[in-house]
Amino acid sequence: MAAIDVADQDETTGPVAKVEVAQLGRSHGLTGELYLRLLSDVPDRVQPGLVLETKTGRRVTVVAIRPLGDRLLVRLEGVDSMEAAKLLSGTTLYAEPLADPPVTLVGELIGKTLVDHDGAVHGRVVAVQANPASELMVLDNEALVPTLFIVEVVDDRVVIEAPEGLFDL
């Protein structure tokens, strides 16, 4: 449950309106297909028939998605040439947050009190920083706690299973 579906955010950022689900790569072939990199832990976030948005608000409809070796190719409605595909290369695609997401969104962590299983309070989450190993919750006391330790997020608390010594530094 500890996966984060949105990049860095802090308490000055508003609620999550859209989440990143994929990024378009370079064009492939002459018919407008593009390489696709999924950014979501939920693979069904990009499938035929879905309408996604770009950062500028442009809406694109997924027509088809197919594997090519260990990569994915996507075809979007109205993108039927290499030139049209090149204009979208590098574009991030966004979707509405899931009503009952299997992941915890950054916006759900900000402002909550971090507690361990014994009930000890360790601070309030003021930001989440991207990190290659695991996103890090930044507490108001400047402690950094990897999100992979999250057991549950309930009401105004983030409950973690912390390894011994995590807060002893």
Side-chain angles (χ1 to χ4, degrees):
M1 175 155 177
I4 302 297
D5 209 19
V6 177
D8 290 355
Q9 182 174 349
D10 63 31
E11 61 188 346
T12 64
T13 308
V16 177
K18 302 275 185 187
V19 293
E20 296 176 344
V21 294
Q23 185 172 39
L24 298 172
R26 64 182 175 84
S27 64
H28 174 78
L30 302 174
T31 61
E33 284 185 303
L34 292 137
Y35 284 100
L36 181 75
R37 182 170 65 105
L38 295 177
L39 301 175
S40 174
D41 293 342
V42 183
D44 291 345
R45 295 294 279 164
V46 179
Q47 60 181 322
L50 287 179
V51 177
L52 303 170
E53 283 188 37
T54 67
K55 191 173 191 170
T56 62
R58 177 179 175 182
R59 297 169 60 87
V60 295
T61 301
V62 177
V63 173
I65 187 168
R66 69 180 178 98
L68 179 66
D70 61 347
R71 299 171 78 184
L72 292 174
L73 289 175
V74 66
R75 179 178 302 283
L76 302 172
E77 187 175 284
V79 180
D80 52 9
S81 70
M82 181 172 47
E83 292 76 23
K86 283 182 179 180
L87 294 174
L88 290 170
S89 182
T91 300
T92 300
L93 300 176
Y94 297 84
E96 294 291 331
L98 297 172
D100 187 22
V103 296
T104 300
L105 300 176
V106 169
E108 296 173 6
L109 300 174
I110 307 298
K112 293 192 182 331
T113 301
L114 187 92
V115 299
D116 61 28
H117 263 298
D118 298 327
V121 174
H122 295 285
R124 187 173 54 84
V125 180
V126 295
V128 176
Q129 292 180 354
N131 184 36
S134 171
E135 283 78 6
L136 299 171
M137 292 179 284
V138 180
L139 305 184
D140 55 359
N141 60 13
E142 298 183 4
L144 300 175
V145 180
T147 57
L148 62 88
F149 297 140
I150 296 174
V151 176
E152 65 181 335
V153 178
V154 284
D155 301 326
D156 62 345
R157 297 177 302 134
V158 177
V159 181
I160 62 166
E161 183 72 46
E164 191 171 321
L166 178 67
F167 295 101
D168 292 342
L169 298 175

